[in-house]
Amino acid sequence: MLSTGIRNARNVVHYLFGMGAIADLSTILDGRRINISDSVIFFIDSFFEHHNLLEGFNAITSGDQIIYVNTIEEPTTSFINFMRDKVFDASAKQPCAIVGIGGGITMDVAKAVSNLLTNGGNAEDYQGWDLVKKPGIFKVAVPTISGTGAESTRTCVMTNTANGLKLGMNSDFTVFDQIILDPDLTQTVPRDQYFYTGMDAYIHCMESLNGQYRNAIGDAYSTQTIQLCRDLFMGGDMMSDENRAKLMVASYLGGCAIATSYVGVLHPFSAGLSVVLGLHHGVANCITMRAMEEFYPDGYREFYRMAESQNVRLPEGICRNLTDAQLKQLYASTIIHEKPLTNALGECYKDILTPGKVKELFLRM
Ligand code: NAD
Ligand code: ZN
């Protein structure tokens, strides 16, 4: 067993949980609005542009700025820089709070912009570990889809298209100051998407518990997350009120788990699919699972039992017609993830994941 080297873990400072909890957002923001000119930036998933979920809650005041976040593509470093500029252009004064309402994409945009506004520079300057030096603007998350744990992790994932690196700003300052977990908000998520994103919580923890870098508290979070996923994905409708609440808790705990541990083989392959083929994280994980039986036989079987139990459609044949150039790119953007691959396979992971082996695994997807 190896030590993760993460000794002094930081979690979300405050959280609120419960159906209807979003009603408390205005009180939380009022606590930050000291002067009349203090304004809040809301990053909101573009799905809600036509489903106004803040109506009636008085959370938005006249000086605030709402920026709808398009989720067609996952965030690139230049997209994050563009979002930061939008905030700068709207006002010379720093906002008193930044709120991210949506899935992993929107929450990650909120985290990254919050850090950039106080630290200066560009998003790509902070891809890595502990490069952010100052606290960001007070940041709040309201997840509207559960699974990634972005609401509770110390990272925000983004891709630098110039060098193909999909890596976050891993930092204590990336952790949200406040989160509001309201299971009412996930009712409208399409079923397949709900499963793809939801399984991210299961996969983070399954990979972490099968890894060599371990942390006792991380293991406890992971075990509980997996138990909740089993209960909800194998016990009736995964989108019932009770099961949506369970998945929201699993997502939060899974994010806490990953703050003190690492993922394994599946995530690097999934990142390769996202970087080279533009597939979104949740669905890319589910596609990658097709090639994971030899690494995670129990997790593999359980995953398909859950998908079958929920009658979810899993894409296949994605890598059937890849060119040699794409396969080369896929190898490069998978093998670059040294920490998770070492966690799963040991330091000599490149001896196991040779270019030929990686190609064979991709072709199975
Ligand atoms: P997402 O943000 O990609 O959204 C998925 C889809 O669901 C979008 O079409 C969105 O509009 C829709 N949606 C969200 N809420 C909805 C609702 N209530 N009703 C209807 N539609 C809704 O979702 P995700 O899977 O949560 O996030 C993936 C992103 O998170 C990726 O960019 C990935 O890299 C990142 N990620 C971050 C972390 C982290 O720790 N920061 C961890 C894992 C993944
Ligand atoms: Zn993930």
Side-chain angles (χ1 to χ4, degrees):
M1 199 181 282
L2 302 171
S3 162
T4 56
I6 304 163
R7 289 162 50 85
N8 199 6
R10 185 186 160 115
N11 285 132
V12 164
V13 182
H14 286 105
Y15 58 83
L16 263 168
F17 174 78
M19 302 269 185
I22 195 174
D24 289 322
L25 180 59
S26 62
T27 313
I28 286 163
L29 295 178
D30 285 349
R32 310 300 303 182
R33 297 183 200 269
I34 312 292
N35 301 305
I36 192 112
S37 59
D38 284 340
S39 63
V40 176
I41 308 292
F42 291 86
F43 287 106
I44 304 182
D45 185 308
S46 59
F47 170 82
F48 294 103
E49 208 164 348
H50 308 292
H51 299 75
N52 196 348
L53 84 169
L54 288 177
E55 222 165 60
F57 292 140
N58 299 322
I60 301 176
T61 66
S62 58
D64 295 344
Q65 192 186 4
I66 298 180
I67 302 175
Y68 287 104
V69 178
N70 193 322
T71 57
I72 292 172
E73 282 178 20
E74 295 193 342
T76 59
T77 46
S78 43
F79 180 71
I80 300 286
N81 296 335
F82 171 73
M83 286 295 177
R84 178 224 30 218
D85 293 344
K86 253 182 128 124
V87 174
F88 264 139
D89 292 348
S91 166
K93 191 170 179 256
Q94 295 272 36
C96 66
I98 289 194
V99 183
I101 306 179
I105 291 181
T106 310
M107 288 189 277
D108 282 356
V109 169
K111 287 177 170 187
V113 171
S114 154
N115 284 347
L116 284 185
L117 284 176
T118 54
N119 282 273
N122 288 320
E124 53 272 29
D125 302 335
Y126 299 99
Q127 281 184 295
W129 278 268
D130 303 306
L131 301 169
V132 181
K133 297 298 174 207
K134 289 189 233 167
I137 304 285
F138 181 83
K139 38 183 161 300
V140 183
V142 185
T144 63
I145 180 170
S146 309
T148 63
E151 63 277 21
S152 47
T153 60
R154 69 193 294 278
T155 191
C156 48
V157 184
M158 52 207 183
T159 302
N160 182 343
T161 37
N163 60 11
L165 186 63
K166 186 178 183 187
L167 183 63
M169 280 183 197
N170 294 270
S171 153
D172 278 357
F173 300 125
T174 308
V175 179
F176 281 109
D177 298 289
Q178 170 79 57
I179 62 173
I180 298 182
L181 303 175
D182 181 346
D184 274 350
L185 303 180
T186 62
Q187 285 178 64
T188 47
V189 178
R191 276 188 75 80
D192 286 349
Q193 182 66 55
Y194 180 91
F195 182 83
Y196 302 152
T197 295
M199 284 316 288
D200 201 21
Y202 175 85
I203 293 170
H204 285 157
C205 296
M206 186 275 286
E207 291 200 273
S208 163
L209 287 174
N210 279 286
Q212 300 179 22
Y213 287 107
R214 300 294 278 276
N215 172 296
I217 293 182
D219 283 3
Y221 279 129
S222 290
T223 307
Q224 185 58 27
T225 303
I226 287 192
Q227 193 51 52
L228 284 164
C229 289
R230 275 185 194 134
D231 287 355
L232 80 101
F233 285 114
M234 298 218 254
D237 177 13
M238 63 183 177
M239 292 192 72
S240 67
D241 285 353
E242 189 188 346
N243 283 337
R244 288 199 326 280
K246 273 190 187 165
L247 187 54
M248 204 158 243
V249 177
S251 177
Y252 170 74
L253 294 179
C256 294
I258 224 64
T260 57
S261 60
Y262 299 109
V263 287
V265 192
L266 190 148
H267 267 77
F269 278 81
S270 170
L273 291 179
S274 294
V275 171
V276 180
L277 304 180
L279 289 163
H280 281 218
H281 185 61
V283 75
N285 284 347
C286 294
I287 292 168
T288 304
M289 189 58 98
R290 290 191 184 283
M292 291 293 121
E293 189 174 7
E294 66 190 86
F295 304 107
Y296 304 115
D298 296 338
Y300 174 90
R301 277 191 293 276
E302 191 158 62
F303 172 88
Y304 283 103
R305 277 207 300 277
M306 293 185 199
E308 198 181 320
S309 158
Q310 298 301 329
N311 201 14
V312 171
R313 193 187 57 87
L314 297 170
E316 59 182 317
I318 296 295
C319 295
R320 224 168 256 157
N321 300 313
L322 292 179
T323 61
D324 281 345
Q326 282 175 315
L327 283 163
K328 252 194 185 148
Q329 275 178 296
L330 281 168
Y331 174 76
S333 47
T334 301
I335 214 76
I336 200 172
H337 295 275
E338 185 187 328
K339 278 203 167 131
L341 292 172
T342 305
N343 184 33
L345 304 172
E347 276 173 10
C348 299
Y349 66 86
K350 284 188 187 161
D351 296 344
I352 301 168
L353 295 178
T354 60
K357 177 69 181 175
V358 171
K359 175 177 175 182
E360 182 210 312
L361 291 167
F362 273 115
L363 292 180
R364 265 190 238 165
M365 300 178 199

